[in-house]
mmCIF file of all heavy atoms in Angstrom:
data_model
loop_
_atom_site.group_PDB
_atom_site.id
_atom_site.type_symbol
_atom_site.label_atom_id
_atom_site.label_comp_id
_atom_site.label_asym_id
_atom_site.label_seq_id
_atom_site.Cartn_x
_atom_site.Cartn_y
_atom_site.Cartn_z
ATOM 1 N N ARG A 354 12.850 -30.813 34.718
ATOM 2 C CA ARG A 354 12.537 -31.673 35.864
ATOM 3 C C ARG A 354 11.030 -31.681 36.118
ATOM 4 O O ARG A 354 10.433 -32.742 36.322
ATOM 5 C CB ARG A 354 13.285 -31.186 37.112
ATOM 6 C CG ARG A 354 13.119 -32.102 38.324
ATOM 7 C CD ARG A 354 13.871 -31.562 39.533
ATOM 8 N NE ARG A 354 13.247 -30.379 40.091
ATOM 9 C CZ ARG A 354 12.155 -30.392 40.878
ATOM 10 N NH1 ARG A 354 11.568 -31.524 41.181
ATOM 11 N NH2 ARG A 354 11.659 -29.264 41.348
ATOM 12 N N LEU A 355 10.395 -30.508 36.097
ATOM 13 C CA LEU A 355 8.953 -30.440 36.316
ATOM 14 C C LEU A 355 8.181 -31.144 35.201
ATOM 15 O O LEU A 355 7.171 -31.801 35.458
ATOM 16 C CB LEU A 355 8.506 -28.982 36.451
ATOM 17 C CG LEU A 355 8.980 -28.272 37.721
ATOM 18 C CD1 LEU A 355 8.635 -26.785 37.663
ATOM 19 C CD2 LEU A 355 8.407 -28.912 38.970
ATOM 20 N N LEU A 356 8.653 -31.027 33.956
ATOM 21 C CA LEU A 356 8.028 -31.753 32.850
ATOM 22 C C LEU A 356 8.152 -33.267 33.060
ATOM 23 O O LEU A 356 7.179 -34.011 32.891
ATOM 24 C CB LEU A 356 8.665 -31.365 31.514
ATOM 25 C CG LEU A 356 8.275 -30.019 30.927
ATOM 26 C CD1 LEU A 356 9.245 -29.618 29.813
ATOM 27 C CD2 LEU A 356 6.844 -30.033 30.425
ATOM 28 N N ASP A 357 9.341 -33.701 33.456
ATOM 29 C CA ASP A 357 9.592 -35.135 33.634
ATOM 30 C C ASP A 357 8.724 -35.756 34.725
ATOM 31 O O ASP A 357 8.326 -36.913 34.618
ATOM 32 C CB ASP A 357 11.073 -35.395 33.953
ATOM 33 C CG ASP A 357 11.989 -35.160 32.767
ATOM 34 O OD1 ASP A 357 11.490 -35.072 31.622
ATOM 35 O OD2 ASP A 357 13.215 -35.040 32.993
ATOM 36 N N ILE A 358 8.441 -35.005 35.775
ATOM 37 C CA ILE A 358 7.656 -35.572 36.879
ATOM 38 C C ILE A 358 6.172 -35.228 36.768
ATOM 39 O O ILE A 358 5.393 -35.522 37.672
ATOM 40 C CB ILE A 358 8.221 -35.174 38.257
ATOM 41 C CG1 ILE A 358 8.160 -33.661 38.483
ATOM 42 C CG2 ILE A 358 9.638 -35.704 38.429
ATOM 43 C CD1 ILE A 358 8.577 -33.223 39.882
ATOM 44 N N GLY A 359 5.780 -34.600 35.669
ATOM 45 C CA GLY A 359 4.371 -34.332 35.430
ATOM 46 C C GLY A 359 3.801 -33.111 36.121
ATOM 47 O O GLY A 359 2.585 -32.928 36.178
ATOM 48 N N LEU A 360 4.663 -32.245 36.643
ATOM 49 C CA LEU A 360 4.180 -31.030 37.293
ATOM 50 C C LEU A 360 4.182 -29.815 36.363
ATOM 51 O O LEU A 360 3.912 -28.701 36.793
ATOM 52 C CB LEU A 360 4.999 -30.724 38.547
ATOM 53 C CG LEU A 360 4.759 -31.679 39.719
ATOM 54 C CD1 LEU A 360 5.677 -31.342 40.883
ATOM 55 C CD2 LEU A 360 3.300 -31.643 40.153
ATOM 56 N N ALA A 361 4.508 -30.061 35.106
ATOM 57 C CA ALA A 361 4.460 -29.000 34.097
ATOM 58 C C ALA A 361 4.076 -29.651 32.773
ATOM 59 O O ALA A 361 4.196 -30.869 32.609
ATOM 60 C CB ALA A 361 5.811 -28.302 33.983
ATOM 61 N N TYR A 362 3.603 -28.831 31.843
ATOM 62 C CA TYR A 362 3.203 -29.341 30.533
ATOM 63 C C TYR A 362 3.328 -28.245 29.491
ATOM 64 O O TYR A 362 3.359 -27.060 29.809
ATOM 65 C CB TYR A 362 1.780 -29.902 30.571
ATOM 66 C CG TYR A 362 0.717 -28.885 30.915
ATOM 67 C CD1 TYR A 362 0.029 -28.192 29.927
ATOM 68 C CD2 TYR A 362 0.385 -28.625 32.243
ATOM 69 C CE1 TYR A 362 -0.955 -27.259 30.241
ATOM 70 C CE2 TYR A 362 -0.593 -27.703 32.571
ATOM 71 C CZ TYR A 362 -1.257 -27.027 31.572
ATOM 72 O OH TYR A 362 -2.220 -26.094 31.894
ATOM 73 N N ARG A 363 3.410 -28.691 28.232
ATOM 74 C CA ARG A 363 3.505 -27.770 27.099
ATOM 75 C C ARG A 363 2.121 -27.252 26.744
ATOM 76 O O ARG A 363 1.145 -27.992 26.785
ATOM 77 C CB ARG A 363 4.111 -28.470 25.889
ATOM 78 C CG ARG A 363 5.528 -28.914 26.128
ATOM 79 C CD ARG A 363 6.181 -29.501 24.891
ATOM 80 N NE ARG A 363 7.509 -29.950 25.245
ATOM 81 C CZ ARG A 363 8.556 -29.157 25.453
ATOM 82 N NH1 ARG A 363 8.421 -27.862 25.299
ATOM 83 N NH2 ARG A 363 9.724 -29.647 25.795
ATOM 84 N N CYS A 364 2.057 -25.993 26.364
ATOM 85 C CA CYS A 364 0.792 -25.370 25.960
ATOM 86 C C CYS A 364 1.038 -24.607 24.663
ATOM 87 O O CYS A 364 1.935 -23.770 24.591
ATOM 88 C CB CYS A 364 0.295 -24.422 27.046
ATOM 89 S SG CYS A 364 -1.172 -23.477 26.588
ATOM 90 N N VAL A 365 0.224 -24.919 23.648
ATOM 91 C CA VAL A 365 0.389 -24.288 22.342
ATOM 92 C C VAL A 365 -0.718 -23.282 22.037
ATOM 93 O O VAL A 365 -0.854 -22.833 20.904
ATOM 94 C CB VAL A 365 0.461 -25.350 21.218
ATOM 95 C CG1 VAL A 365 1.702 -26.216 21.383
ATOM 96 C CG2 VAL A 365 -0.792 -26.189 21.174
ATOM 97 N N CYS A 366 -1.485 -22.908 23.029
ATOM 98 C CA CYS A 366 -2.569 -21.938 22.818
ATOM 99 C C CYS A 366 -1.984 -20.598 22.385
ATOM 100 O O CYS A 366 -0.971 -20.137 22.936
ATOM 101 C CB CYS A 366 -3.399 -21.777 24.079
ATOM 102 S SG CYS A 366 -4.301 -23.278 24.522
ATOM 103 N N THR A 367 -2.627 -19.985 21.432
ATOM 104 C CA THR A 367 -2.185 -18.682 20.928
ATOM 105 C C THR A 367 -2.743 -17.568 21.812
ATOM 106 O O THR A 367 -3.689 -17.787 22.571
ATOM 107 C CB THR A 367 -2.690 -18.475 19.492
ATOM 108 O OG1 THR A 367 -4.126 -18.407 19.534
ATOM 109 C CG2 THR A 367 -2.226 -19.591 18.570
ATOM 110 N N PRO A 368 -2.193 -16.368 21.698
ATOM 111 C CA PRO A 368 -2.779 -15.237 22.432
ATOM 112 C C PRO A 368 -4.265 -15.049 22.106
ATOM 113 O O PRO A 368 -5.053 -14.698 22.977
ATOM 114 C CB PRO A 368 -1.940 -14.043 21.962
ATOM 115 C CG PRO A 368 -0.613 -14.642 21.610
ATOM 116 C CD PRO A 368 -0.947 -15.996 21.023
ATOM 117 N N GLU A 369 -4.630 -15.332 20.865
ATOM 118 C CA GLU A 369 -6.047 -15.210 20.475
ATOM 119 C C GLU A 369 -6.899 -16.262 21.198
ATOM 120 O O GLU A 369 -8.012 -15.964 21.654
ATOM 121 C CB GLU A 369 -6.204 -15.348 18.959
ATOM 122 C CG GLU A 369 -5.549 -14.242 18.147
ATOM 123 C CD GLU A 369 -4.025 -14.378 18.005
ATOM 124 O OE1 GLU A 369 -3.489 -15.497 18.170
ATOM 125 O OE2 GLU A 369 -3.368 -13.351 17.751
ATOM 126 N N ASP A 370 -6.364 -17.486 21.314
ATOM 127 C CA ASP A 370 -7.064 -18.539 22.062
ATOM 128 C C ASP A 370 -7.272 -18.099 23.511
ATOM 129 O O ASP A 370 -8.364 -18.266 24.074
ATOM 130 C CB ASP A 370 -6.259 -19.849 22.078
ATOM 131 C CG ASP A 370 -6.117 -20.498 20.724
ATOM 132 O OD1 ASP A 370 -6.990 -20.292 19.848
ATOM 133 O OD2 ASP A 370 -5.120 -21.234 20.537
ATOM 134 N N LEU A 371 -6.228 -17.565 24.099
ATOM 135 C CA LEU A 371 -6.292 -17.159 25.505
ATOM 136 C C LEU A 371 -7.280 -16.018 25.713
ATOM 137 O O LEU A 371 -8.027 -16.001 26.696
ATOM 138 C CB LEU A 371 -4.897 -16.772 26.005
ATOM 139 C CG LEU A 371 -3.857 -17.891 25.965
ATOM 140 C CD1 LEU A 371 -2.487 -17.353 26.339
ATOM 141 C CD2 LEU A 371 -4.262 -19.050 26.852
ATOM 142 N N GLU A 372 -7.318 -15.082 24.796
ATOM 143 C CA GLU A 372 -8.276 -13.967 24.882
ATOM 144 C C GLU A 372 -9.703 -14.499 24.764
ATOM 145 O O GLU A 372 -10.595 -14.060 25.487
ATOM 146 C CB GLU A 372 -7.981 -12.923 23.818
ATOM 147 C CG GLU A 372 -8.946 -11.753 23.793
ATOM 148 C CD GLU A 372 -9.003 -10.968 25.101
ATOM 149 O OE1 GLU A 372 -8.022 -10.973 25.877
ATOM 150 O OE2 GLU A 372 -10.049 -10.344 25.372
ATOM 151 N N ARG A 373 -9.895 -15.435 23.882
ATOM 152 C CA ARG A 373 -11.233 -16.044 23.714
ATOM 153 C C ARG A 373 -11.653 -16.752 25.014
ATOM 154 O O ARG A 373 -12.785 -16.619 25.467
ATOM 155 C CB ARG A 373 -11.200 -17.017 22.529
ATOM 156 C CG ARG A 373 -12.540 -17.391 21.974
ATOM 157 C CD ARG A 373 -12.485 -18.144 20.641
ATOM 158 N NE ARG A 373 -11.268 -18.887 20.309
ATOM 159 C CZ ARG A 373 -10.284 -18.441 19.517
ATOM 160 N NH1 ARG A 373 -10.355 -17.247 18.957
ATOM 161 N NH2 ARG A 373 -9.221 -19.183 19.275
ATOM 162 N N MET A 374 -10.733 -17.497 25.627
ATOM 163 C CA MET A 374 -11.024 -18.175 26.900
ATOM 164 C C MET A 374 -11.390 -17.165 27.983
ATOM 165 O O MET A 374 -12.311 -17.378 28.761
ATOM 166 C CB MET A 374 -9.800 -18.971 27.375
ATOM 167 C CG MET A 374 -9.541 -20.245 26.663
ATOM 168 S SD MET A 374 -8.027 -20.982 27.343
ATOM 169 C CE MET A 374 -7.256 -21.526 25.832
ATOM 170 N N ARG A 375 -10.616 -16.079 28.024
ATOM 171 C CA ARG A 375 -10.847 -15.042 29.025
ATOM 172 C C ARG A 375 -12.240 -14.448 28.871
ATOM 173 O O ARG A 375 -12.996 -14.318 29.836
ATOM 174 C CB ARG A 375 -9.774 -13.948 28.909
ATOM 175 C CG ARG A 375 -9.841 -12.893 30.002
ATOM 176 C CD ARG A 375 -8.872 -11.756 29.734
ATOM 177 N NE ARG A 375 -9.315 -10.890 28.665
ATOM 178 C CZ ARG A 375 -10.312 -9.998 28.775
ATOM 179 N NH1 ARG A 375 -10.953 -9.857 29.896
ATOM 180 N NH2 ARG A 375 -10.648 -9.243 27.758
ATOM 181 N N ARG A 376 -12.604 -14.112 27.641
ATOM 182 C CA ARG A 376 -13.933 -13.529 27.391
ATOM 183 C C ARG A 376 -15.051 -14.499 27.746
ATOM 184 O O ARG A 376 -16.056 -14.120 28.346
ATOM 185 C CB ARG A 376 -14.051 -13.073 25.938
ATOM 186 C CG ARG A 376 -13.345 -11.756 25.648
ATOM 187 C CD ARG A 376 -13.766 -11.152 24.304
ATOM 188 N NE ARG A 376 -13.786 -12.104 23.210
ATOM 189 C CZ ARG A 376 -12.782 -12.321 22.369
ATOM 190 N NH1 ARG A 376 -11.674 -11.639 22.489
ATOM 191 N NH2 ARG A 376 -12.895 -13.218 21.404
ATOM 192 N N GLN A 377 -14.889 -15.765 27.363
ATOM 193 C CA GLN A 377 -15.909 -16.772 27.657
ATOM 194 C C GLN A 377 -16.079 -16.971 29.166
ATOM 195 O O GLN A 377 -17.203 -17.077 29.659
ATOM 196 C CB GLN A 377 -15.565 -18.105 26.988
ATOM 197 C CG GLN A 377 -15.730 -18.087 25.490
ATOM 198 C CD GLN A 377 -15.170 -19.339 24.819
ATOM 199 O OE1 GLN A 377 -14.433 -20.121 25.414
ATOM 200 N NE2 GLN A 377 -15.504 -19.511 23.543
ATOM 201 N N ALA A 378 -14.978 -17.028 29.887
ATOM 202 C CA ALA A 378 -15.047 -17.206 31.341
ATOM 203 C C ALA A 378 -15.764 -16.026 31.985
ATOM 204 O O ALA A 378 -16.655 -16.212 32.821
ATOM 205 C CB ALA A 378 -13.645 -17.374 31.919
ATOM 206 N N MET A 379 -15.399 -14.819 31.593
ATOM 207 C CA MET A 379 -16.024 -13.628 32.181
ATOM 208 C C MET A 379 -17.506 -13.560 31.835
ATOM 209 O O MET A 379 -18.328 -13.200 32.686
ATOM 210 C CB MET A 379 -15.276 -12.370 31.743
ATOM 211 C CG MET A 379 -13.879 -12.300 32.353
ATOM 212 S SD MET A 379 -12.950 -10.850 31.853
ATOM 213 C CE MET A 379 -13.826 -9.586 32.733
ATOM 214 N N ALA A 380 -17.867 -13.937 30.619
ATOM 215 C CA ALA A 380 -19.275 -13.930 30.219
ATOM 216 C C ALA A 380 -20.076 -14.943 31.030
ATOM 217 O O ALA A 380 -21.276 -14.760 31.257
ATOM 218 C CB ALA A 380 -19.404 -14.230 28.725
ATOM 219 N N SER A 381 -19.388 -15.994 31.511
ATOM 220 C CA SER A 381 -20.057 -17.017 32.318
ATOM 221 C C SER A 381 -19.976 -16.720 33.810
ATOM 222 O O SER A 381 -20.388 -17.542 34.624
ATOM 223 C CB SER A 381 -19.425 -18.386 32.053
ATOM 224 O OG SER A 381 -19.543 -18.731 30.694
ATOM 225 N N GLY A 382 -19.393 -15.575 34.166
ATOM 226 C CA GLY A 382 -19.262 -15.208 35.574
ATOM 227 C C GLY A 382 -18.124 -15.926 36.289
ATOM 228 O O GLY A 382 -18.094 -15.960 37.521
ATOM 229 N N LEU A 383 -17.180 -16.480 35.527
ATOM 230 C CA LEU A 383 -16.044 -17.187 36.111
ATOM 231 C C LEU A 383 -14.807 -16.301 36.085
ATOM 232 O O LEU A 383 -14.751 -15.306 35.364
ATOM 233 C CB LEU A 383 -15.770 -18.472 35.317
ATOM 234 C CG LEU A 383 -16.930 -19.466 35.239
ATOM 235 C CD1 LEU A 383 -16.588 -20.588 34.255
ATOM 236 C CD2 LEU A 383 -17.235 -20.030 36.615
ATOM 237 N N LYS A 384 -13.794 -16.715 36.855
ATOM 238 C CA LYS A 384 -12.526 -15.992 36.823
ATOM 239 C C LYS A 384 -11.877 -16.194 35.457
ATOM 240 O O LYS A 384 -11.912 -17.295 34.906
ATOM 241 C CB LYS A 384 -11.588 -16.501 37.915
ATOM 242 C CG LYS A 384 -11.999 -16.059 39.283
ATOM 243 C CD LYS A 384 -10.930 -16.390 40.285
ATOM 244 C CE LYS A 384 -11.335 -15.795 41.614
ATOM 245 N NZ LYS A 384 -10.294 -15.919 42.605
ATOM 246 N N PRO A 385 -11.276 -15.138 34.918
ATOM 247 C CA PRO A 385 -10.644 -15.252 33.599
ATOM 248 C C PRO A 385 -9.288 -15.943 33.693
ATOM 249 O O PRO A 385 -8.262 -15.304 33.841
ATOM 250 C CB PRO A 385 -10.498 -13.797 33.159
ATOM 251 C CG PRO A 385 -10.386 -13.041 34.446
ATOM 252 C CD PRO A 385 -11.236 -13.781 35.439
ATOM 253 N N LYS A 386 -9.309 -17.264 33.653
ATOM 254 C CA LYS A 386 -8.061 -18.019 33.744
ATOM 255 C C LYS A 386 -7.983 -19.041 32.619
ATOM 256 O O LYS A 386 -8.974 -19.322 31.953
ATOM 257 C CB LYS A 386 -7.937 -18.694 35.110
ATOM 258 C CG LYS A 386 -8.953 -19.766 35.375
ATOM 259 C CD LYS A 386 -8.697 -20.428 36.721
ATOM 260 C CE LYS A 386 -9.425 -21.751 36.788
ATOM 261 N NZ LYS A 386 -8.967 -22.579 37.847
ATOM 262 N N TYR A 387 -6.812 -19.590 32.450
ATOM 263 C CA TYR A 387 -6.570 -20.598 31.431
ATOM 264 C C TYR A 387 -7.442 -21.815 31.724
ATOM 265 O O TYR A 387 -7.524 -22.271 32.869
ATOM 266 C CB TYR A 387 -5.084 -20.967 31.437
ATOM 267 C CG TYR A 387 -4.741 -22.073 30.487
ATOM 268 C CD1 TYR A 387 -4.851 -21.883 29.120
ATOM 269 C CD2 TYR A 387 -4.324 -23.305 30.951
ATOM 270 C CE1 TYR A 387 -4.543 -22.903 28.235
ATOM 271 C CE2 TYR A 387 -4.005 -24.324 30.071
ATOM 272 C CZ TYR A 387 -4.130 -24.119 28.725
ATOM 273 O OH TYR A 387 -3.824 -25.130 27.852
ATOM 274 N N ASP A 388 -8.070 -22.385 30.697
ATOM 275 C CA ASP A 388 -9.017 -23.479 30.913
ATOM 276 C C ASP A 388 -8.384 -24.875 30.940
ATOM 277 O O ASP A 388 -9.082 -25.870 31.134
ATOM 278 C CB ASP A 388 -10.156 -23.435 29.885
ATOM 279 C CG ASP A 388 -9.727 -23.762 28.469
ATOM 280 O OD1 ASP A 388 -8.552 -24.153 28.248
ATOM 281 O OD2 ASP A 388 -10.571 -23.630 27.567
ATOM 282 N N GLY A 389 -7.077 -24.965 30.760
ATOM 283 C CA GLY A 389 -6.390 -26.241 30.906
ATOM 284 C C GLY A 389 -6.486 -27.179 29.721
ATOM 285 O O GLY A 389 -6.173 -28.362 29.835
ATOM 286 N N ARG A 390 -6.866 -26.671 28.567
ATOM 287 C CA ARG A 390 -7.090 -27.562 27.418
ATOM 288 C C ARG A 390 -5.841 -28.318 26.968
ATOM 289 O O ARG A 390 -5.966 -29.350 26.325
ATOM 290 C CB ARG A 390 -7.708 -26.807 26.256
ATOM 291 C CG ARG A 390 -6.825 -25.749 25.631
ATOM 292 C CD ARG A 390 -7.511 -25.043 24.508
ATOM 293 N NE ARG A 390 -8.725 -24.417 25.029
ATOM 294 C CZ ARG A 390 -9.583 -23.741 24.313
ATOM 295 N NH1 ARG A 390 -9.380 -23.595 23.034
ATOM 296 N NH2 ARG A 390 -10.636 -23.197 24.853
ATOM 297 N N CYS A 391 -4.649 -27.847 27.295
ATOM 298 C CA CYS A 391 -3.432 -28.558 26.888
ATOM 299 C C CYS A 391 -2.863 -29.455 27.996
ATOM 300 O O CYS A 391 -1.838 -30.110 27.795
ATOM 301 C CB CYS A 391 -2.354 -27.558 26.458
ATOM 302 S SG CYS A 391 -2.737 -26.660 24.940
ATOM 303 N N ARG A 392 -3.515 -29.510 29.150
ATOM 304 C CA ARG A 392 -2.998 -30.267 30.310
ATOM 305 C C ARG A 392 -2.665 -31.721 29.990
ATOM 306 O O ARG A 392 -1.666 -32.249 30.454
ATOM 307 C CB ARG A 392 -3.998 -30.241 31.463
ATOM 308 C CG ARG A 392 -3.958 -29.003 32.306
ATOM 309 C CD ARG A 392 -5.009 -29.055 33.397
ATOM 310 N NE ARG A 392 -4.612 -29.883 34.508
ATOM 311 C CZ ARG A 392 -4.102 -29.437 35.638
ATOM 312 N NH1 ARG A 392 -3.940 -28.148 35.824
ATOM 313 N NH2 ARG A 392 -3.777 -30.253 36.602
ATOM 314 N N GLU A 393 -3.517 -32.382 29.242
ATOM 315 C CA GLU A 393 -3.340 -33.816 28.990
ATOM 316 C C GLU A 393 -2.975 -34.125 27.541
ATOM 317 O O GLU A 393 -2.954 -35.287 27.150
ATOM 318 C CB GLU A 393 -4.616 -34.569 29.382
ATOM 319 C CG GLU A 393 -5.079 -34.321 30.808
ATOM 320 C CD GLU A 393 -4.019 -34.566 31.874
ATOM 321 O OE1 GLU A 393 -3.182 -35.480 31.715
ATOM 322 O OE2 GLU A 393 -4.007 -33.818 32.874
ATOM 323 N N ALA A 394 -2.698 -33.120 26.757
ATOM 324 C CA ALA A 394 -2.400 -33.335 25.334
ATOM 325 C C ALA A 394 -1.022 -33.974 25.167
ATOM 326 O O ALA A 394 -0.108 -33.730 25.941
ATOM 327 C CB ALA A 394 -2.458 -32.007 24.595
ATOM 328 N N GLU A 395 -0.890 -34.787 24.147
ATOM 329 C CA GLU A 395 0.395 -35.376 23.767
ATOM 330 C C GLU A 395 0.925 -34.580 22.583
ATOM 331 O O GLU A 395 0.237 -34.429 21.578
ATOM 332 C CB GLU A 395 0.214 -36.844 23.374
ATOM 333 C CG GLU A 395 -0.209 -37.734 24.524
ATOM 334 C CD GLU A 395 0.878 -37.897 25.575
ATOM 335 O OE1 GLU A 395 2.064 -37.902 25.217
ATOM 336 O OE2 GLU A 395 0.523 -37.996 26.768
ATOM 337 N N TRP A 396 2.147 -34.079 22.689
ATOM 338 C CA TRP A 396 2.698 -33.242 21.626
ATOM 339 C C TRP A 396 3.741 -34.000 20.850
ATOM 340 O O TRP A 396 4.549 -34.734 21.414
ATOM 341 C CB TRP A 396 3.288 -31.962 22.211
ATOM 342 C CG TRP A 396 2.235 -31.186 22.939
ATOM 343 C CD1 TRP A 396 2.151 -30.989 24.272
ATOM 344 C CD2 TRP A 396 1.081 -30.563 22.383
ATOM 345 N NE1 TRP A 396 1.017 -30.275 24.577
ATOM 346 C CE2 TRP A 396 0.339 -30.000 23.435
ATOM 347 C CE3 TRP A 396 0.600 -30.431 21.081
ATOM 348 C CZ2 TRP A 396 -0.840 -29.310 23.245
ATOM 349 C CZ3 TRP A 396 -0.588 -29.739 20.894
ATOM 350 C CH2 TRP A 396 -1.288 -29.190 21.963
ATOM 351 N N PRO A 397 3.757 -33.814 19.553
ATOM 352 C CA PRO A 397 4.746 -34.515 18.719
ATOM 353 C C PRO A 397 6.159 -34.039 19.022
ATOM 354 O O PRO A 397 6.358 -32.950 19.568
ATOM 355 C CB PRO A 397 4.333 -34.140 17.299
ATOM 356 C CG PRO A 397 3.536 -32.895 17.431
ATOM 357 C CD PRO A 397 2.877 -32.940 18.788
ATOM 358 N N ALA A 398 7.113 -34.868 18.652
ATOM 359 C CA ALA A 398 8.520 -34.550 18.913
ATOM 360 C C ALA A 398 8.978 -33.306 18.167
ATOM 361 O O ALA A 398 10.028 -32.755 18.474
ATOM 362 C CB ALA A 398 9.395 -35.741 18.538
#
């Protein structure tokens, strides 16, 4: 239901991707959170 109404989305980031994001955010003085790169992606069937 959340996927259908646009309140959820698929994310294919690997644990390594997430660790890299976390390190980059902390190095920039930001909170270590997901950067949203999959928010608007279209995924194949």
Side-chain angles (χ1 to χ4, degrees):
R354 185 181 71 78
L355 291 173
L356 284 165
D357 289 345
I358 63 174
L360 289 177
Y362 62 93
R363 296 185 183 285
C364 174
V365 295
C366 294
T367 65
E369 295 78 21
D370 294 333
L371 298 174
E372 178 59 25
R373 198 169 24 262
M374 284 178 222
R375 186 187 74 74
R376 282 194 314 266
Q377 289 171 346
M379 292 179 71
S381 300
L383 301 172
K384 287 189 174 187
K386 66 177 197 165
Y387 176 66
D388 69 6
R390 66 181 59 182
C391 292
R392 278 178 79 99
E393 305 307 325
E395 294 292 327
W396 300 111

